[in-house]
Every structure is written in C-alpha cells, then in structure tokens.
Amino acid sequence: MPNFNDYSTSEYGKMIQDRRRTQPFVEALRAAVRPDSVVLDIGAGPGIFSFLASQFGAARVYAVESDAAAIEVARRCASNIAGSDRITWIQGLSTELELPEQVDIVIGDLHGTLPFFKGNIESMIDARKRHLKPGGRMIPLRDVLYAAPAQAAHEYEHVEAPWRRNEYGIDLSAAAPHVVNQWWRASPEPVAAQSLLASPQVWGEVDYTLTESTDLDKQLEWGIERAGTLHGLYVWFDGNPGEGIGYSNSPLLPELVYGRAFFPLEQAIDVTIGDRLHTRLAVRRVKGDYIYRWDTRITAADGSAKAQFRQSTFKAGLTTLVVLRKASADYLPELTAEGQIAHAVLQAMAEGQRLQDIANAVAMRFPDRFRTPDAALDAVSLLAQKYG
C-alpha cells in the first residue's frame, strides 16, 4: 500500500476495497508463496497483504509501515486472524532497516497516481538489493506507462477558471503559468474513446526486477487521428504484479484508487487529422521530489509549425531569490526561534530527560513562544513522536 503518508483507516479501507487494484496483487502473492517463504511487505498499512501471506502459508512475514496508527490497527486486527503470530510488525521505512534475514518475496504497493511517487521506486530498488534473496520475487514486477493526446475541456477548465476568466471580472491571468505547469489527478469518470485524438504511446517501463533509476525521459510522437481541440495528455500506467496478472488505470476505464494524470498544454490548440504532435515527456528525481517536464511541438500535415510549448513542474513553483540563496552551498544558515526550540528539545532528549522536564525548560527559555507549560509539553511531545 502507499507509504510515506499518514492515511486514515477509512482511506486504507478504500484501497483494500478497490478489487480491480487489490485482487491482482493477491493473485500474484498467492502464486508466489511457498510453505517456507519469507515475505517482506513494504508499506503494509493495516496489514492486508501480510495477513494474506501468512494465510497462504508463508513461514515468516515482516510487515513494515511508517504510519504508527496503521501499525496499531494491524496489531489489533491480528488477534482475530489465524497465522498472525508469524508476522513481525515494524514501524519505519524499509530503506532504514536491517532485517534478521533476507526474504523470498517483496511485496509493496507504494504507487501514487503514477509510479513516480515519493520513495516508491527507491524503496523497491533498495529492497531488491538488500532484502531479497537471489532469485526471489518482486511484487509488482513492472509498471508500463502510457500517454495519449486528448480533447478534455472538462479537465482544462482548471486552467481557464478562475485564472483566465471569472465572474468577478478580476484579471488573475498572471497565475495561469503556475497552473499550466502542473499536472493533476484527472476526473474520475471514464472518458469516451473519441476523446483520445491519437492512439496511446508507451512512455516507458518501470521494471522492479531490474531498474536502477527513478528517472524517465522519452520523445513521443503522434499523428492526430481525430480532429478536435487538443487540451493536453492523459498519462497512466498498467501494473503487472505477476506474469499474466495485471490492471490498468487508463482514462477509458473506471477509476482505480490511484487515479490517472492529466498534463495540460499551455494553450488549447485546434488540430486536424494529419497534424503531428511531438512531446518530450520526462520525470527526474531532484532533492527528494519529482520534477516533470513536457515539451510539446505541434506541426501541420505540411510540416508548418502550429504551436510550441515548454512546460515543467519546476516552473509551477513560486521560488524566490531568498529560497534559492538558502539552497546555495555557501549559505550560512542561522536557527530561527523554532529551530532553537527544536535543537534544545532534541538535545535534552539525547541526554535522556523526561518530557515534562524538557517542556518546563523550554517554557522558561522561550516564554514568548509558550504561554503555558501545557503548550510547551504539546510541542515537545510532537517532536518526541517524530524523532523519539
């Protein structure tokens, strides 16, 4: 299940209930487990795959989840589920753990709308290299990514209103560049096949058994097959948890729990049959975040230019000179008041002091920040939960 976020119990329930997504993982897990199998469940959430692995006969299961609340839910459920005594619950990130043994199977559904979601790919690469036995099984095996040009006025409305027009007559168009340089989760309703103005193209593949990179960069080209207004690209992935087992979050199908992505063009463009669309679609991991780029060129059948755009999620950020200066290698940072409080609390924690004693000390040292001892204790407790 997706990791690195705190989900509510009801949200985890929605993931489990999405049968088109969950059942292929279950089938792949059932096919892989043997009586002596050791399984690592990354991003275990409330433990559905861990419980199933134990019921399928796994000898041992390591369930790793960063969300403390989800782990607690799983532990409470375990008392009602046979075979749960073979599950070891671990709160944390698999990339930061050393297991007592290597495993036969790694299972992890860490996707977001696209596979490039926080630490998904990095975690799977790390698990394959450090935790998986030679010849072991990765679930999923691969994700194949697709893109298709689309007429999608209902999606493009996010660009038009309220930024380029609104009922108040206020010119907000200066914000439009920040909107068109973002992709978003597309509307959940399936679109009609004729909304795709050309056949889908494979953008790339994430092969979890082989990949060494979190990046993808490819030049895509389409011949327009239906006349219409081109608003952007739908982007999605077909997942393969096991050989012959799969699912898709194509915009032509009912939405899966992941959703599907829409990448808008800077301007909507009318196109006709025979026009050509050339797009460089790329994603790159930069300082823990994914930066997407989609450079687009549209030409008429005779080769003449109709439009050209250079878009990137980097352009969507309102990065200031101050932020850039603070990121430079020669910048000399000074702790803010919040930083000084955090430093004092962490230092006291490292010395083994009680939370109440730490709270009393920071309340005296920072009286402008904490008006009551209880307020100081609340702040100290949050830091203890995060770093303790």
Side-chain angles (χ1 to χ4, degrees), residues 291-367:
I291 302 297
Y292 289 83
R293 173 181 177 179
W294 58 109
D295 297 343
T296 304
R297 180 168 52 90
I298 304 169
T299 58
D302 62 4
S304 60
K306 297 187 71 170
Q308 186 164 344
F309 309 114
R310 297 175 66 86
Q311 294 168 263
S312 169
T313 52
F314 180 78
K315 293 181 180 180
L318 296 173
T319 303
T320 65
L321 291 176
V322 173
V323 172
L324 291 174
R325 182 169 63 86
K326 287 184 177 181
S328 65
D330 58 353
Y331 176 70
L332 297 176
E334 296 182 5
L335 287 178
T336 63
E338 292 298 319
Q340 292 174 34
I341 292 169
H343 179 265
V345 171
L346 295 176
Q347 187 174 40
M349 286 171 55
E351 294 170 357
Q353 297 183 32
R354 294 171 57 248
L355 289 190
Q356 187 62 68
D357 295 335
I358 299 173
N360 293 341
V362 297
M364 292 181 61
R365 181 175 172 184
F366 303 97

Side-chain angles (χ1 to χ4, degrees), residues 112-171:
T113 303
L114 296 171
F116 311 103
F117 179 69
K118 299 193 176 182
N120 170 25
I121 299 174
E122 290 174 326
S123 294
M124 297 300 278
I125 292 173
D126 174 76
R128 186 187 75 223
K129 291 183 174 181
R130 295 197 305 117
H131 299 309
L132 188 67
K133 294 177 182 177
R137 286 286 303 276
M138 296 290 294
I139 303 174
L141 293 176
R142 68 186 65 84
D143 295 319
V144 181
L145 292 110
Y146 294 88
Q151 177 169 284
H154 66 294
E155 298 290 353
Y156 208 73
E157 189 67 12
H158 293 297
V159 175
E160 296 295 339
W163 311 112
R164 290 174 177 165
R165 55 173 170 76
N166 58 71
E167 61 182 296
Y168 307 105
I170 302 299
D171 184 358

Side-chain angles (χ1 to χ4, degrees), residues 5 43 62 65 92 95 152 163 166 207 220 222 231 241 245 257 271 285 359 362 382:
N5 266 340
Y62 297 97
E65 170 58 53
T95 53
W163 311 112
N166 58 71
D207 186 333
L220 302 174
W222 292 271
H231 294 101
I245 304 171
V257 68
V271 293
R285 183 87 156 157
V362 297
L382 288 175

